[in-house]
């Protein structure tokens, strides 16, 4: 494998991959391991250091194990066997233990680790595989296809040719725009503010699990432990400038402590904070001739439940495997690729998007009767092992990939 700034394809390249994030590199590795020549086109000059996604679910760990990178991820990540729902004022409401899935998966836990720690592992795994290339500084700006292949136009005027293109170039996908693919859906009424804290929140919030969804009618939030930080996700009203909201962050964090009865203390140290808008959208189709859409290029959802990156990696593995069969000319492979693309779109619509949106509605419930019903349901689920297992099969995404009983 070569990794450089040139746009030239690998010798005999069969598949081009747009984007060297976790989804694009996973797809490239799947294809390369299947004996397909691959060229990855990455707009940036290096792998991205930004890490919004930080949760890896059990079936994703299974897939990464098949690709030979899960041990490296486990060494860099934090194993979270439980997650909880909390009331902002009274504390824990219900806690679920992923150990209930030990008969369903060899990884009955989540791994908390920034996605920027996975991408170097994927890139390294490509090393030594033949006919594989990663080109940095290769920004895709146009796509043309014909009966024999796909031509990708780069921002610097050069072109790259391949038999197929797998687009994993993010929510603002240049490939999707070039194809004119509809991306229907909704935008959430609030922005999300994510802050990374150099603090041990367990010292301030008694009984805090590594992942906590905090219910509150006025200001719900999510607390996530990563190897390096605690992350706090806060909903933020639209219409207020980012710098004003970021300036208010210390006061909002202080209220979180006092609301939980922790009392006043020195301000929490904020290592990094950012605001972003959240959408729920799905592309009209994931296959367009010789072009496939994966990950955020194909579907986006709110981050509650950590399903975005995970479902994108699932896209990469399942579509990449089906595409490899097409490249090798296996009988029935074209129809199988059509089915895989349709299945992944159905999953984005009926499972990932629906589950993430339900998480959002549950956290922000305002009506007192509805809030009481939510809390009662969570407690009843946690208290019943069979019911808890069924809930965990959904939240872990196992149920999105295979039949469960």
């Amino acid at each position: 494998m070569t990794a450089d700034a040139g746009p030239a394809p690998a010798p005999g390249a069969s598949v081009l991959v747009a984007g060297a994030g976790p989804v694009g590199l996973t797809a490239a590795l799947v294809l390369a391991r299947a004996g397909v020549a691959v060229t990855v086109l990455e707009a940036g000059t290096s792998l991205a250091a930004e890490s919004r996604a930080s949760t890896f679910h059990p079936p994703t760990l299974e897939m990464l194990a098949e690709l030979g990178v899960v041990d490296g991820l486990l060494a860099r990540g934090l194993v979270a066997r439980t997650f909880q729902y909390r009331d902002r004022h009274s504390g824990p409401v219900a806690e679920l233990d992923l150990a209930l899935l030990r008969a369903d998966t060899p990884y009955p836990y989540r791994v908390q680790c920034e996605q920027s720690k996975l991408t170097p592992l994927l890139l390294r795994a490509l090393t030594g595989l033949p006919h594989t290339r990663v080109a940095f500084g290769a920004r895709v700006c146009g796509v043309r296809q014909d009966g024999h292949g796909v031509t990708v136009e780069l921002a610097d005027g050069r072109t790259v040719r391949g038999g197929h293109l797998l687009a994993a170039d993010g929510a603002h996908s240049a490939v999707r725009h070039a194809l004119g693919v509809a991306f229907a859906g909704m935008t959430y009424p609030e922005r999300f503010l994510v802050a990374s804290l150099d603090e041990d929140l367990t010292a301030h919030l008694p009984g805090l699990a590594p992942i906590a969804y905090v219910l509150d009618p006025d200001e719900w939030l999510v607390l996530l432990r990563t190897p390096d930080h605690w992350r706090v996700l806060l909903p933020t009203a639209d219409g207020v400038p980012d710098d004003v909201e970021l300036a208010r962050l210390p006061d909002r964090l202080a209220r979180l402590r006092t609301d939980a009865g922790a009392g006043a203390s020195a301000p929490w140290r904020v290592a990094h904070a950012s605001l972003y808008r959240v959408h729920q959208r799905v592309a009209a189709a994931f296959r367009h001739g010789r072009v496939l859409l994966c990950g955020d290029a194909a579907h986006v959802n709110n981050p509650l439940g950590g399903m975005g990156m995970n479902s994108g990696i699932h896209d990469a593995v399942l579509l990449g495997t089906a595409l490899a069969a097409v490249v090798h000319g296996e009988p029935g492979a074209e129809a199988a690729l059509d089915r895989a693309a349709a299945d992944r779109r159905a999953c984005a619509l009926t499972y990932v998007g629906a589950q993430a949106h339900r998480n959002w509605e549950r956290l922000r419930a305002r009506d007192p009767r509805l809030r009481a019903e939510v809390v009662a349901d969570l407690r009843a689920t946690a208290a019943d092992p069979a019911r808890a297992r069924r809930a965990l099969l959904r939240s872990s995404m196992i149920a999105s990939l295979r039949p469960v009983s």
Side-chain angles (χ1 to χ4, degrees), residues 6-305:
S14 295
V15 176
L16 306 175
V17 175
V23 176
L25 289 177
T26 296
L29 186 55
V30 167
L31 290 159
R33 285 166 58 95
V36 176
V38 182
T39 295
V40 180
L41 304 170
E42 167 55 39
T45 57
S46 62
L47 294 177
E50 184 182 17
S51 290
R52 286 185 182 174
S54 60
T55 292
F56 293 85
H57 288 300
T60 309
L61 299 174
E62 294 172 21
M63 293 177 179
L64 295 177
E66 288 292 322
L67 294 174
V69 297
V70 78
D71 288 343
L73 183 67
L74 289 170
R76 291 160 177 76
L78 181 150
V79 170
R81 301 187 185 277
T82 63
F83 66 92
Q84 70 184 188
Y85 294 89
R86 296 175 65 95
D87 181 273
R88 180 167 179 137
H89 300 274
S90 61
V93 168
E95 187 160 297
L96 294 173
D97 188 344
L98 277 82
L100 291 171
L101 300 179
R102 55 186 173 270
D104 301 287
T105 175
Y107 303 98
Y109 45 78
R110 296 182 182 183
V111 170
Q112 296 298 109
C113 186
E114 299 83 355
Q115 68 183 51
S116 59
K117 294 181 180 178
L118 172 66
T119 47
L121 298 174
L122 293 168
L123 183 61
R124 191 175 306 128
L126 288 170
T127 303
L129 295 177
H131 307 307
T132 306
R133 184 169 188 166
V134 178
F136 292 101
R139 181 179 296 278
V140 174
C141 64
V143 177
R144 303 191 307 273
Q145 59 177 315
D146 53 42
H148 302 288
V150 180
T151 300
V152 170
E153 302 168 2
L154 301 179
D156 61 9
R158 289 177 288 182
T159 61
V160 188
R161 178 81 173 171
H164 293 82
L165 169 64
L166 191 150
D169 54 339
H172 301 290
S173 171
V175 174
R176 190 186 66 244
H177 283 292
L179 294 174
V181 179
F183 202 41
M186 60 166 284
T187 299
Y188 280 87
E190 67 266 85
R191 293 170 295 165
F192 285 14
L193 191 162
V194 177
S196 297
L197 307 181
D198 288 329
E199 295 284 344
D200 178 11
L201 296 194
T202 59
H204 304 278
L205 305 176
L208 183 62
I211 303 155
Y213 303 100
V214 183
L215 293 80
D216 188 78
D218 298 318
E219 187 180 69
W220 58 267
L221 62 141
V222 181
L223 304 173
L224 299 170
R225 183 74 174 97
T226 70
D228 300 328
H229 302 99
W230 272 95
R231 283 187 175 182
V232 180
L233 186 154
L234 293 157
T236 301
D238 201 5
V240 179
D242 287 5
D243 58 343
V244 174
E245 288 296 351
L246 292 171
R248 293 175 180 172
L249 178 59
D251 289 339
R252 297 179 74 183
L253 295 175
R255 288 199 302 273
L256 172 61
R257 290 199 309 273
T258 55
D259 287 350
S265 63
W268 284 342
R269 299 183 301 274
V270 178
H272 179 263
S274 62
L275 273 159
Y276 60 95
R277 195 169 298 283
V278 181
H279 309 274
Q280 192 110 327
R281 301 183 183 277
V282 179
F286 287 10
R287 185 181 186 187
H288 300 268
R290 291 176 172 269
V291 180
L292 295 166
L293 304 178
C294 283
D296 284 356
H299 52 90
V300 293
N301 56 270
N302 78 60
L304 304 178

